[in-house]
């Protein structure tokens, strides 16, 4: 039976939710080909063209489309941190859910005012579900998990899928996220200062992601005299995230996330899926990603000395860390998402 779904998001950017949407379209095409999806971005914040290109590059045009309204008929509408569309959905016949993915506490306040017609509040991880339930105890019975994932278990064929890094003499340490206070690139810069003193000329920094007015990363790099060992890349196309991770992993690199808040930790999951060692702050969402390998892959949040030690240890035990990453990625495959998706449809009484 054909199922028609629309995912709605306020802005088309270069962020994690857009990568989540691409991943879901890939999973539906592989495992539930009777499901077709529309994506409705209410505003273009610079990422719409890149998103459209990603659909083409992944050969998803037959099963996934961009739309500019909610005028079509759907079996299910999902509003991903998009309170702007709640009133419209409440007047439509189609059932709708709200997906809460935002790690920014102030951006979750809209959950206080959800209409009764909203079927469920969906979160991307068990840890984030617990957080939402604690913040909104009256809504706890409505919170369900739809696990986020990385489609490493789906064979993808597309052109220009490789990135070649320069022949750096130093091994790269990758930060791949928005450069704001929540994601905390400053902690990595401070840790790297110590690392560079300990082991001069061995490592370098590679930053990639949207800039933020909260932090002038170029200024912070210069202040620490790290210009010659730091590279700052602009946001890259959605389809290139995997290629960048693979390239850094092939160069013997390590991924670092000092983040103070996540709903899932997509960039970290992408790094693990590329079998790259990761140094992650020990927030619950990161701990969920690495499972039994928490001691190897995490460090106490905000402890920059511990972050330095963790990065150094991973480089010194690189083969063991890669083996652990290969084991950890089994927890967030496309199949795990499909299992949760089918369960969600069953709970909503939507026939597949």
């Amino acid at each position: 039976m054909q199922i028609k779904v629309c995912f709605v998001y306020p802005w088309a950017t270069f962020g994690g939710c857009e990568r989540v949407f691409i991943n879901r379209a890939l999973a539906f095409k592989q495992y539930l080909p009777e499901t077709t999806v529309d994506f409705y971005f209410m505003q273009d914040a610079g990422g719409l063209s890149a998103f459209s290109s990603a659909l083409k590059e992944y050969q998803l045009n037959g099963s996934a489309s961009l739309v500019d309204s909610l005028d079509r008929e759907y079996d299910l509408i999902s509003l991903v941190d998009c309170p702007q569309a709640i009133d419209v959905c409440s007047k439509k016949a189609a059932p709708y859910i709200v997906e809460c993915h935002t790690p920014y506490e102030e951006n979750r306040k809209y959950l206080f005012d959800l209409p009764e017609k909203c079927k469920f509040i969906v979160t991307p991880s068990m840890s984030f579900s617990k957080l939402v339930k604690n913040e909104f105890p009256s809504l706890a019975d409505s919170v369900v998990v739809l696990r986020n994932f990385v489609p490493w278990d789906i064979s993808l064929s597309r052109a220009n899928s490789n990135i070649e890094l320069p022949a750096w003499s130093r091994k790269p340490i990758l930060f791949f996220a928005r450069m704001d206070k929540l994601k905390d690139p400053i902690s990595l810069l401070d840790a790297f200062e110590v690392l560079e003193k300990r082991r001069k000329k061995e490592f370098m920094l590679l930053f990639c992601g949207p800039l933020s007015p909260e932090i002038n990363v170029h200024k912070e790099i210069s202040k620490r005299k790290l210009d010659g060992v730091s590279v700052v890349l602009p946001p890259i196309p959605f389809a290139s995230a995997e290629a960048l991770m693979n390239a850094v992993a092939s160069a013997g690199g390590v991924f670092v996330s000092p983040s103070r808040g996540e709903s899932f930790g997509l960039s970290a999951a992408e790094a693990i899926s590329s079998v790259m060692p990761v140094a992650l702050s020990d927030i619950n969402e990161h701990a969920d990603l690495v499972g039994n390998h928490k001691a190897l892959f995490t460090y106490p949040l905000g402890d920059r000395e511990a972050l330095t030690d963790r990065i150094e240890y991973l480089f010194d035990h690189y083969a063991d860390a890669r083996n652990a990453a290969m084991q950890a990625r089994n927890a967030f495959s496309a199949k795990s998402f499909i299992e949760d998706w089918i369960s969600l449809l069953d709970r909503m009484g939507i026939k597949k």
Side-chain angles (χ1 to χ4, degrees):
M1 179 178 174
Q2 288 289 327
I3 300 290
K4 186 72 173 177
V5 182
C6 186
F7 295 102
V8 187
Y9 195 58
W11 318 275
T13 68
F14 289 89
C17 277
E18 289 81 359
R19 300 208 304 280
V20 167
F21 290 158
I22 295 293
N23 290 347
R24 288 182 179 183
L26 289 167
F28 289 140
K29 183 179 179 181
Q30 175 78 14
Y31 295 110
L32 297 174
E34 69 279 7
T35 300
T36 57
V37 293
D38 284 348
F39 299 107
Y40 173 32
F41 296 98
M42 301 185 75
Q43 295 182 36
D44 183 5
L48 195 62
S49 176
F51 189 87
S52 178
S53 296
L55 291 181
K56 293 177 183 176
E57 189 165 354
Y58 283 115
Q59 301 173 22
L60 292 167
N61 289 53
S63 57
S65 305
L66 278 168
V67 297
D68 57 10
S69 73
L70 286 171
D71 291 341
R72 300 185 185 184
E73 296 297 321
Y74 295 105
D75 297 291
L76 176 63
I77 299 172
S78 174
L79 307 182
V80 184
D81 289 314
C82 191
Q84 300 93 321
I86 287 176
D87 286 345
V88 174
C89 286
S90 294
K91 296 172 184 176
K92 293 180 71 68
Y96 75 94
I97 58 174
V98 162
E99 293 196 56
C100 184
H101 286 226
T102 178
Y104 300 90
E105 183 177 355
E106 65 274 15
N107 293 343
R108 295 193 292 268
K109 291 181 179 178
Y110 74 93
L111 297 178
F112 279 116
D113 301 313
L114 290 180
E116 289 186 8
K117 188 182 176 185
C118 178
K119 298 294 184 181
F120 291 105
I121 300 168
V122 175
T123 66
S125 69
M126 288 296 296
S127 290
F128 200 64
S129 275
K130 292 176 183 176
L131 183 149
V132 171
K133 288 178 180 179
N134 287 337
E135 282 186 7
F136 306 93
S138 64
L139 302 174
D141 292 341
S142 301
V143 178
V144 298
V145 177
L146 181 63
R147 282 174 287 177
N148 215 337
F149 70 102
V150 178
W152 61 265
D153 53 334
I154 295 177
S155 179
L156 305 176
S157 59
R158 56 190 177 85
N160 304 318
S161 59
N162 296 319
I163 289 178
E164 290 190 15
L165 298 177
W168 290 316
S169 59
R170 294 168 175 249
K171 287 189 166 56
I173 298 169
L174 175 63
F175 178 96
F176 187 68
R178 181 174 175 82
M179 290 176 231
D180 62 14
K181 291 181 180 178
L182 186 76
K183 303 299 184 181
D184 195 14
I186 299 299
S187 283
L188 175 55
L189 285 169
D190 289 345
F192 188 80
E193 276 192 289
V194 179
L195 188 61
E196 179 68 359
K197 291 175 182 176
R198 288 184 190 174
R199 300 172 63 161
K200 200 165 184 64
K201 298 183 178 181
E202 284 193 48
F203 311 114
M204 61 176 287
L205 292 173
L206 182 59
F207 292 92
C208 183
L211 298 176
S212 163
E214 295 179 1
I215 294 174
N216 185 330
V217 71
H218 293 283
K219 182 179 179 181
E220 295 292 341
I221 288 170
S222 294
K223 186 169 69 176
R224 293 165 177 79
K225 297 181 172 57
L226 297 175
D227 306 75
V229 293
S230 302
V231 177
V232 180
L233 300 175
I236 60 174
F238 303 108
S240 298
E242 178 190 6
L244 176 63
M245 295 290 186
N246 289 340
V248 175
S250 296
V254 163
F255 173 90
V256 174
S257 173
S259 179
R260 298 178 177 277
E262 298 286 338
S263 59
F264 170 70
L266 180 60
S267 293
E270 289 172 332
I272 295 167
S273 295
S274 294
V275 197
M276 189 185 341
V278 295
L280 311 175
S281 56
D282 64 349
I283 59 176
N284 291 333
E285 290 72 21
H286 281 162
D288 285 350
L289 287 179
V290 298
N292 295 331
H293 304 288
K294 180 180 177 180
L296 176 62
F297 287 138
T298 69
Y299 71 95
L301 174 67
D303 188 335
R304 295 167 186 180
E305 189 76 23
L307 172 55
T308 306
D309 295 341
R310 182 57 26 207
I311 293 171
E312 190 173 22
Y313 185 90
L314 291 170
F315 277 115
D316 289 344
H317 300 82
Y318 202 82
D320 290 342
R322 278 178 55 87
N323 289 335
M326 187 170 290
Q327 296 171 26
R329 70 178 184 170
N330 289 320
F332 42 84
S333 66
K335 285 184 179 178
S336 64
F337 162 76
I338 291 296
E339 291 172 2
D340 288 353
W341 179 259
I342 291 173
S343 175
L344 176 63
L345 294 187
D346 285 341
R347 291 186 67 173
M348 297 191 68
I350 298 174
K351 296 181 179 180
K352 302 172 289 299

